[in-house]
Amino acid sequence: MTDNHQYETPPSGTLDWDQPLNRNFERIDTDVEVRDTDANRTNYVPKVGGKFLATDTGNVYLGDGSSWVQLGTIGSGGGSSGDGPSVASLILQGFVVALGRNNSAPQTVDPSTTSTPIQDALDIVHAAGGGEVRLPAGVTEETGPIRPYEETQIIGLGVELSKVAITDRNADGIRFDRESGVSRVKLDGFALNGPAGGQPTGVAIHHTNKDTQDLYVGRLVLWGWNNSVYRVDEGVGPFQCRHDQLTIYECDAGDQDGLFEFRSWYGPANWFGTIAAYPSATISGKNTTVFFSRGGTQTVDYLTMGGSTGVAIDQTWDSVIEFGNVHWEPTTNPTNPPAIVRLLGHGTAVIDSVKHVTGVADYAYELGYDSYNARGPGRKILGPYIELGAEADITNTVVNLSYPADPAQPSLYHGSPDDVTVTHSEAGTGGLRALGTAGTGF
């Protein structure tokens, strides 16, 4: 008798020695592991208690008499980094992979069996205490919206490799609306495609309820949204959110306040590295304003635009904004905007520079009255305006002071006083200083 499997060894001289040997052979199919590639497991009978090890994926199966039931996965692919061959193999097979903190092995969702594969995977990792959802190559269709939980991540293979396609025209793409708020979410390495077509759509990324904290966005492409692509609703204040690079193609926000909309009147600092926007006017027939801000604090290092861009930045009420280089290069905008940058009201604004390559605008800057809070312009710093190329033109001057600037909260323009046109009819206040001659007031 063997120690581990109780295989029988007939004593010398046993007459029916074949019987214990036959019993030994009957147990081999369950006692001895079968090894082959995952795709070949159907070639083996799934005897009750039998074990199958997939040599290519590391998946482990137990037989139940009729099928092989996955027990788990072995190998280096079980960690949250997803660098091991097991997770990579599952992704390459087209599965959405869920890596939950408290799960002993990766879990998979087959996009061909559900209309919500990414949300299903988020539900799995949320139930396991948080973790990563890894996207396969190709297009993964999702009804939408995708609603992240706290401490979850959605990671693709790259914006040209992993693409999420929202199929419900009225649904948002990614929606932050959990009743308790959402913290520490990461989105990176995929394209988020809207339904496109000839009708309005939902919003690509939408903050609609409570506050989102510590959102990190790496590199995303947003395509095919006939609406804003990033919206913060009134009464919602995301904070400490970082966005490395957002690229927008073929999105039409001509009927909205902006492609990016901060509608709320409050909110601590949020940062954007690069926003590259190339909207269209296919649905609305109108220019798209790229960045609209009513409140909160937003910093954008680089804002570059083409397509049907109209106004690049539209600031109202008491929002605090800071933009580095603003690169304005529209090619298909239906009309000339009144200004490339419109700064209304008393919210602080710092614009490092405006570079103008193509297209026509009435002015580069407008400082004006904000009807939302009945305040004139104040606390604005306007960097140099740089016009490049024969296709770029300003029909008037660089700065339009359309309402008296607040002398108690002075504004500064880094340029010549000849660049400033006063279009209001009230007395000058000296609240705007053009620094070209060390401080001429208007």
Side-chain angles (χ1 to χ4, degrees):
M1 187 74 68
T2 59
D3 292 331
N4 293 330
H5 294 94
Q6 288 76 52
Y7 289 142
E8 301 176 60
T9 305
S12 176
T14 300
L15 294 178
D16 297 324
W17 57 267
D18 59 312
Q19 295 182 18
L21 291 182
N22 289 339
R23 287 192 292 270
N24 291 344
F25 283 114
E26 289 172 358
R27 292 200 295 268
I28 284 178
D29 276 350
T30 55
D31 291 346
V32 178
E33 176 181 271
V34 180
R35 298 181 182 180
D36 202 341
T37 61
D38 215 334
N40 288 340
R41 70 179 184 274
T42 55
N43 296 338
Y44 301 90
V45 178
K47 290 192 174 182
V48 175
K51 178 183 175 184
F52 181 93
L53 172 63
T55 55
D56 55 344
T57 66
N59 291 337
V60 179
Y61 301 85
L62 290 181
D64 65 0
S66 60
S67 63
W68 293 107
V69 179
Q70 185 173 350
L71 178 65
T73 304
I74 64 173
S76 59
S80 63
S81 68
D83 292 329
S86 175
V87 172
S89 178
L90 293 172
I91 292 171
L92 293 175
Q93 291 177 62
F95 293 110
V96 176
V97 179
L99 302 173
R101 182 180 67 177
N102 296 326
N103 288 336
S104 60
Q107 307 296 307
T108 60
V109 178
D110 186 347
S112 67
T113 64
T114 173
S115 62
T116 55
I118 299 170
Q119 188 62 55
D120 293 350
L122 282 171
D123 294 345
I124 291 171
V125 298
H126 173 63
E132 284 186 9
V133 171
R134 301 291 300 273
L135 302 178
V139 177
T140 302
E141 291 191 346
E142 179 89 13
T143 302
I146 298 167
R147 302 172 63 235
Y149 298 94
E150 183 172 287
E151 298 285 5
T152 57
Q153 305 180 26
I154 304 174
I155 310 296
L157 297 172
V159 296
E160 291 297 326
L161 301 177
S162 298
K163 301 182 180 182
V164 177
I166 301 300
T167 58
D168 184 347
R169 175 165 297 282
N170 297 317
D172 293 333
I174 296 175
R175 186 178 180 93
F176 295 95
D177 64 351
R178 299 285 175 188
E179 190 58 36
S180 59
V182 177
S183 300
R184 296 174 295 279
V185 170
K186 179 178 179 180
L187 310 171
D188 193 15
F190 61 93
L192 181 60
N193 295 342
Q199 299 296 323
T201 67
V203 176
I205 300 174
H206 200 172
H207 301 265
T208 69
N209 186 39
K210 303 298 182 181
D211 295 341
T212 308
Q213 178 180 355
D214 291 338
L215 167 67
Y216 173 74
V217 177
R219 177 174 292 183
L220 297 185
V221 166
L222 308 174
W223 176 91
W225 296 94
N226 298 326
N227 205 323
S228 302
V229 299
Y230 194 104
R231 178 178 294 161
V232 176
D233 281 349
E234 190 167 340
V236 180
F239 60 101
Q240 298 169 202
C241 299
R242 294 180 60 84
H243 315 74
D244 283 349
Q245 182 166 335
L246 293 171
T247 306
I248 299 97
Y249 297 111
E250 295 298 324
C251 296
D252 187 345
D255 289 326
Q256 309 302 322
D257 287 331
L259 203 58
F260 289 74
E261 286 185 352
F262 283 79
R263 295 179 172 182
S264 191
W265 60 85
Y266 77 99
N270 296 289
W271 175 85
F272 296 81
T274 297
I275 295 174
Y278 306 95
S280 70
T282 306
I283 308 304
S284 68
K286 304 174 186 175
N287 295 345
T288 284
T289 295
V290 175
F291 202 101
F292 169 84
S293 178
R294 178 179 293 144
T297 301
Q298 300 97 43
T299 297
V300 180
D301 285 352
Y302 297 95
L303 177 62
T304 183
M305 296 148 288
S308 62
T309 295
V311 173
I313 303 165
D314 189 359
Q315 180 204 28
T316 67
W317 209 52
D318 65 349
S319 73
V320 176
I321 61 172
E322 181 174 358
F323 283 76
N325 178 260
V326 177
H327 182 106
W328 199 67
E329 193 174 351
T331 56
T332 58
N333 49 351
T335 58
N336 299 337
I340 297 173
V341 177
R342 301 185 73 220
L343 307 173
L344 312 181
H346 72 290
T348 300
V350 178
I351 312 296
D352 287 353
S353 66
V354 174
K355 184 162 64 173
H356 181 181
V357 180
T358 61
V360 179
D362 294 345
Y363 297 88
Y365 292 106
E366 178 188 355
L367 272 63
Y369 176 79
D370 176 26
S371 59
Y372 192 81
N373 65 358
R375 297 287 294 271
R379 301 183 294 192
K380 320 294 187 188
I381 298 179
L382 314 181
Y385 166 72
I386 306 156
E387 185 177 294
L388 298 175
E391 297 182 33
D393 190 29
I394 294 293
T395 59
N396 294 291
T397 57
V398 176
V399 180
N400 173 19
L401 183 60
S402 62
Y403 194 85
D406 186 347
Q409 299 174 333
S411 298
L412 305 174
Y413 165 57
H414 290 261
S416 168
D418 293 337
D419 293 342
V420 179
T421 298
V422 177
T423 58
H424 66 80
S425 58
E426 301 183 35
T429 62
L432 170 65
R433 295 277 170 172
L435 302 182
T437 56
T440 301
F442 293 90

